[in-house]
Amino acid sequence: MVAERVVITGIGTVSSVGIGKDEFWRGIVQGKSGVKRVTRIPEAQQPASKIAAEITDFDPNKWMEPKQVKRTDRFIQLAIAASYLAIEDAKLDMTTLNPLRVGVVAGSAAGGFQSIEDQFRVLTNKGPDRCSPMTVPMLIVNMAAGWISMLHNAQGPNLCTVTACATSAHSMGDAYRLIQRGEVDVMFAGGSEAPITSLVMAGFASARTLSTRNDEPEKASRPFDQDRDGFIIGEGAAILMLESLSHALKRGAPIYAEMVGYGSTADAFDIVQPRPDGAGAARAVKLALEEAGAKPEQVNYVNAHGTSTWLGDKAETRAMKTVFGPHAKKLMVSSTKSMTGHLLGAAGALEAAVCAMAIKDSIAPPTINLDNPDPDCDLDYVPNKARKNVEINYALSNSFGFGGHNCALLFRKYSKN
């Protein structure tokens, strides 16, 4: 069986840097930070880290009926908005598609944590009879995918991938495989996250993984910088429209890039720490390259996982050196988490969107706040300023999650051959 070619035809993004592809990409290219003081958590419940990449201008009523808003957690609302933005960007008329050939793979690392916290307070303060009958549908992780399928009549495969911070990258990979095999024509692929809640932030803060640079929020996320002190929680969603090339060409769809490689491995090492040598991550990247038939020296740009943690940034740098050898020094590598914060389960799809737009516009986005490079992180991280008019034929996106989950996605500039 000849595998179907898979292309990205629509991008829907909701983040603290901007809502919608154009505003988001403009902010990324300009080096705009979306990190600020937290407003969603009462001061008394805030841990030592009081900053996050919070979205302050999102109105779910723009995308949903008031009754639907009441029945959904924020992570679902963000995903729904991103799905509508992706459809609009792809210029898709959903009524013309065979619904049985349209599917969804959308995940979340945490799910409806705000709903969990809210309903637990109701339980303890008012008793079990006062809990919402929608409690379970609001909190379970698969409901973003379920809502997207119902709202858009997508009756094909409907799946939810959960691999911590690699979640939406694996969602992209799983959707890619379904199209490759000819099971579907169109897939909604990505993830969403709304983790700016008391319990989530307290848990990460207790593990000493969050930055406490509270007086300089916009400078707090510092991937690969010697002075980094932890990551920044972010919220948002990214849903991409993936299509078989034949389907996209038939309807004259816009094409951002072609997805050509997907690698997935496990560290089998530690629940939170990566392998220090980055071996598991390196194997995922090698698998993606091998599937695409691409040589390491053909890759121009890497969107790093780059969370701004001490161990993670070093391990990823070592992984890139393992895979790319001498070419590693020629790569343009950036962590856009320096601007968006870490969207946990939504990060991979958001960064896949960055790769697609980087290829289309020939722009390598920056890693902001890289003022004092860590000597152990010595690649070209495109410090502080975007690099324009650069050749990007192949772009790689790395995503790694607690539990040792590794995912690598490879994209290339679309051509008919």
Side-chain angles (χ1 to χ4, degrees), residues 283-302:
R283 285 191 299 111
V285 174
K286 287 178 180 178
L287 288 171
L289 290 170
E290 288 170 4
E291 179 178 14
K295 298 177 181 178
E297 56 268 24
Q298 290 180 284
V299 177
N300 311 107
Y301 172 69
V302 177

Side-chain angles (χ1 to χ4, degrees), residues 56-195:
T56 55
D57 57 348
F58 176 72
D59 180 6
N61 292 285
K62 182 177 179 180
W63 314 99
M64 307 167 66
E65 298 295 329
K67 188 176 181 179
Q68 295 172 331
V69 173
K70 291 181 180 180
R71 293 182 172 187
T72 52
D73 186 87
R74 186 173 174 88
F75 91 98
I76 299 171
Q77 297 166 4
L78 294 168
I80 288 171
S83 72
Y84 278 109
L85 288 166
I87 290 171
E88 180 183 9
D89 190 51
K91 297 178 173 57
L92 263 174
D93 181 352
M94 299 299 294
T95 64
T96 66
L97 305 182
N98 177 355
L100 304 181
R101 302 279 299 174
V102 181
V104 182
V105 188
S108 174
F113 251 94
Q114 189 62 63
S115 295
I116 292 173
E117 292 184 26
D118 291 345
Q119 293 306 309
F120 186 75
R121 279 191 286 270
V122 172
L123 173 67
T124 55
N125 295 332
K126 299 181 180 180
D129 294 340
R130 299 295 298 276
C131 287
S132 169
M134 297 302 295
T135 297
V136 173
M138 286 192 293
L139 66 88
I140 52 179
V141 185
N142 67 302
M143 275 299 163
W147 272 95
I148 290 171
S149 70
M150 289 183 286
L151 290 172
H152 304 304
N153 194 30
Q155 298 181 36
N158 185 245
L159 306 171
C160 172
T161 302
V162 182
T163 51
C165 300
T167 290
S168 58
H170 279 119
S171 297
M172 293 277 297
D174 293 344
Y176 165 70
R177 289 277 184 260
L178 287 165
I179 297 174
Q180 273 189 322
R181 294 198 297 264
E183 296 184 30
V184 289
D185 300 317
V186 179
M187 291 293 296
F188 293 85
S192 63
E193 208 75 78

Side-chain angles (χ1 to χ4, degrees), residues 230-257:
F231 76 90
I232 299 294
I233 282 184
E235 63 177 351
I239 299 294
L240 281 70
M241 301 306 305
L242 301 186
E243 291 188 55
S244 68
L245 177 60
S246 57
H247 188 273
L249 291 176
K250 184 177 180 180
R251 70 177 190 87
I255 295 176
Y256 287 93

Side-chain angles (χ1 to χ4, degrees), residues 14-19 23 32 36 54-60 62-63 74 78 235:
V14 181
S15 88
S16 62
V17 174
I19 296 176
E23 184 182 353
K32 174 186 174 183
K36 55 186 73 71
E54 183 179 322
I55 305 170
T56 55
D57 57 348
F58 176 72
D59 180 6
K62 182 177 179 180
W63 314 99
R74 186 173 174 88
L78 294 168
E235 63 177 351

